[in-house]
Structure formats: structure tokens, C-alpha cells
Amino acid sequence: MDIAAGDVSGGIHGYVSLNHTGVSHTVFHLLGIPGLEDQHMCVSIPFFFSYVITLSGNSLLIFIIVTKHSLHEPMYLFLCMLAGADFVLSICIVPQALAIFWFCAGEISLNRCITQFFITHSTFMSESGTLLVVAFDCYIAICFYPLRYTTILTHTLIGKIGVTIFLRSYCMIFPMIFLLKRLTFCQSNIIPHTCCEHIGLAKYACNDIRVNIWYGLFVIMSTVVLDVLLIFVSYTLILHGVFHVPSQDACHKALNTCGSHVCIIILFHGPAIITTLTQQFGSQVPPHIHILLDNVCILAPPMLNPITYGIKTEQIREQVAHIFFPNAEITLEEEQCFQHL
């Protein structure tokens, strides 16, 4: 078939011709998890249940924090921001994956693919920034100015912090749109994944993508990696301060509060670090393992975050119990059981 003729007719099969010498695909096909096509229906089960738990858990968490005035404290407001990021991340990724698993509907336009990558990458970065702020919040509450905690972190300051996190994420990811738009996608339009990624899409271009690679590395190092380092420093200072608290009850309460934060941070950054190391050094690892690890980064934290905070945070636990069992009271034995979790 003459490519030039296809161009004149408006482009066929998802590509248009460029200068009569090559093609640039405008439609791509997501395969899901290559190598496990026969098990897509089985794989879709944990995807579906994690999606339901994520949406219901984070929606409930946001509802409780927004409607309960006593929870309008810095820690809970930051937790509400975290739940919102989890919600957005899930609805941008999981429905597309389920459509591939259930209906083999993996066709996606270039613009939609770039939009998906932009939203997911910026939301992931926003969540990383929120976790950093949670660590600093914990440091201020325990070590720095515990008596002036609420006067320092006012609602106005929290709003400014949220806007800063949002702008940092979107401003860092926004140039990637133009870095992808300049490329000519003349290689395969088959993407062996459940979603679109920056380098995963750029590698199908016939252009030099070194700018994409170096800018992507700069973004990761200046945001997520820097966040992890600062979080580590924060909790090192927190532990140093906690173990110098004379009161054992105060020390136990501080450790319990920080423990829930650390669990969320490990759930968020742990799979991402493992995935990165596997991609860089695991050349013998089958491709479907890489894709599964990528999806673990997307599925696990949004699903487990509200569960972890629901168990570890007494105020949220009480509000959840009040919603589902309005006429019941938590007994002393049940409360002691929760405290040991």
C-alpha cells in the first residue's frame, strides 16, 4: 500500500506519512501483560478487587476528614491530599487495564496516551511530595515545636503547601509533553504494557531520544529520589528526638504515629525502588515480571494506604466505626486489640 496515498486520504490504520519517507503512528495498542495473555482474566481479578477497595477506602477517608471538623488538623489534611492522589492514580490506570484484560480493548491514541502518562506521572510525583510533607509534619509535631504545632501549620500554610506540591509535579512533567510531541513514531505501535509511560513510548521513535532520557532522569533525581533522602533525614531526626523524650507514654504515642507514616512510605517507595532496580540490573528477568512490578506500584499503595491509616489512627478508626455501627461502642478489649496492631 502506498503510504503517501494513505496520507492524502486522511491517514489510515493509525499513522500518517511524513515527507513521504516514514510514518508516525497516531494510534498505539497496549498488550496488557505480554506472556500472560491466556491468564488475563485471572490477572484481572486482583486488579478489580484492588480497584474497588481503593475507590471505596479513599473515598471514605476523604469523606470522614472533610466532614469531621475535629479532623481538620495538619496530619489529617495531608492524609486527605494523599487519598486524593491515590484516587486519581487509580482511575487513570486500572480501568484501562481492565478493558485490556476483559475486552482486549488496548487501542489508544497518541494524544490520549500522552495525557494518561502526564496525569499518572504528575500524580505519582505529587504523592511523593505529600509523603515528604507528612514526614516534616511529624518532625514539627514531635521534635521541633510540639506546643506551637497548630499555630505553625495553619490552614493557609497547608493550602500553600498543597499548591506548591501540585505546581512542582505538573511543572516538572509538563515539558515531557513537548519532548514526546516532537518525536516521529515510525517503529512499532505495539506497547507491551497496561499503560503509557514516558520512555516506554519514546523508545518507539526514530529520533534521538537522549534528551528524553536525560530529562526523565533529572526529574526522578530532583523529585522522588530527593524526597526519599529528605524523608530519611526527617525520620532519623524524629527517632533521635523520640528516644530522648522522658515520658514513656509520649514516646510510645510518637512511635505509633510515626509507625503508620513509615508503613505508608515503605508501601509507596518500596515497590518503585524494586521496580527501578529490576529494570536496570535484572536483564534476565522476564518482561511480564517487569510489567507486574510496575502494576504493583500502582495497585498496592492506593489500596493499602486507607487500610493502614484506618488501623493505626485512633480518630479515623472511631469515625469509621461510627459510620458503620452508629449504635455500637468499641469495647476496652477491642481498643486494646487495635492498639497492638
Side-chain angles (χ1 to χ4, degrees), residues 1-12:
M1 180 182 295
D2 187 2
I3 296 176
D7 180 42
V8 172
S9 63
I12 57 175

Side-chain angles (χ1 to χ4, degrees), residues 11-326:
I12 57 175
H13 301 299
Y15 63 79
V16 295
S17 66
L18 292 179
N19 299 327
H20 303 278
T21 58
V23 298
S24 183
H25 296 288
T26 60
V27 173
F28 293 84
H29 298 273
L30 296 168
L31 291 183
I33 303 178
L36 296 180
E37 288 85 357
D38 295 339
Q39 284 78 40
H40 270 179
M41 288 301 296
C42 296
V43 174
S44 69
I45 296 175
F47 270 74
F48 175 75
F49 281 106
S50 67
Y51 185 56
V52 172
I53 295 172
T54 296
L55 295 189
S56 56
N58 286 287
S59 298
L60 179 62
L61 198 59
I62 294 172
F63 173 79
I64 290 174
I65 294 173
V66 170
T67 57
K68 192 67 177 177
H69 185 74
S70 61
L71 297 181
H72 290 182
E73 297 180 3
M75 183 187 76
Y76 301 110
L77 294 177
F78 291 135
L79 177 56
C80 187
M81 292 167 54
L82 193 66
D86 286 336
F87 191 93
V88 173
L89 193 63
S90 296
I91 62 175
C92 287
I93 297 295
V94 182
Q96 174 72 61
L98 291 177
I100 296 171
F101 296 151
W102 290 345
F103 311 111
C104 298
E107 185 173 288
I108 185 170
S109 67
L110 175 61
N111 289 333
R112 183 182 164 198
C113 192
I114 293 176
T115 302
Q116 184 189 56
F117 122 80
F118 174 75
I119 295 175
T120 55
H121 281 54
S122 55
T123 303
F124 183 89
M125 195 178 299
S126 297
E127 194 161 357
S128 178
T130 304
L131 289 175
L132 174 60
V133 173
V134 168
F136 281 128
D137 167 71
C138 191
Y139 172 68
I140 294 173
I142 294 174
C143 303
F144 201 53
Y145 286 117
L147 299 179
R148 296 174 53 194
Y149 171 65
T150 54
T151 59
I152 294 174
L153 290 174
T154 62
H155 288 178
T156 302
L157 180 58
I158 292 172
K160 292 179 179 178
I161 291 173
V163 172
T164 302
I165 293 173
F166 176 86
L167 290 177
R168 183 193 75 155
S169 304
Y170 281 78
C171 289
M172 293 295 284
I173 299 297
F174 193 71
M176 291 184 181
I177 295 177
F178 299 98
L179 291 177
L180 287 173
K181 281 287 191 178
R182 70 183 179 87
L183 299 177
T184 301
F185 298 97
C186 56
Q187 299 189 38
S188 174
N189 66 339
I190 306 298
I191 302 177
H193 210 301
T194 56
C195 61
C196 295
E197 295 180 332
H198 176 217
I199 300 301
L201 181 61
K203 69 181 183 181
Y204 292 110
C206 295
N207 315 74
D208 186 355
I209 64 170
R210 282 179 294 181
V211 176
N212 297 69
I213 295 173
W214 283 109
Y215 184 74
L217 181 61
F218 164 75
V219 170
I220 292 295
M221 295 299 295
S222 61
T223 54
V224 178
V225 174
L226 181 61
D227 291 347
V228 172
L229 292 176
L230 293 176
I231 288 171
F232 177 78
V233 171
S234 298
Y235 280 103
T236 300
L237 296 174
I238 289 170
L239 290 176
H240 180 269
V242 164
F243 289 118
H244 285 79
V245 174
S247 172
Q248 292 296 322
D249 290 338
C251 179
H252 177 74
K253 184 178 180 180
L255 287 175
N256 187 57
T257 301
C258 291
S260 59
H261 295 170
V262 172
C263 288
I264 298 301
I265 290 168
I266 292 174
L267 287 172
F268 180 76
H269 288 293
I273 293 172
I274 293 173
T275 300
T276 302
L277 292 175
T278 303
Q279 290 176 342
Q280 293 296 324
F281 305 106
S283 57
Q284 304 301 321
V285 178
H288 67 272
I289 299 298
H290 290 297
I291 308 303
L292 286 174
L293 285 174
D294 282 344
N295 283 283
V296 167
C297 295
I298 298 168
L299 295 175
M303 178 182 65
L304 297 177
N305 283 356
I307 297 174
T308 301
Y309 271 108
I311 292 176
K312 299 293 291 184
T313 308
E314 180 181 353
Q315 291 87 340
I316 293 177
R317 188 168 64 244
E318 289 176 351
Q319 294 303 317
V320 172
H322 180 71
I323 289 175
F324 289 101
F325 309 102

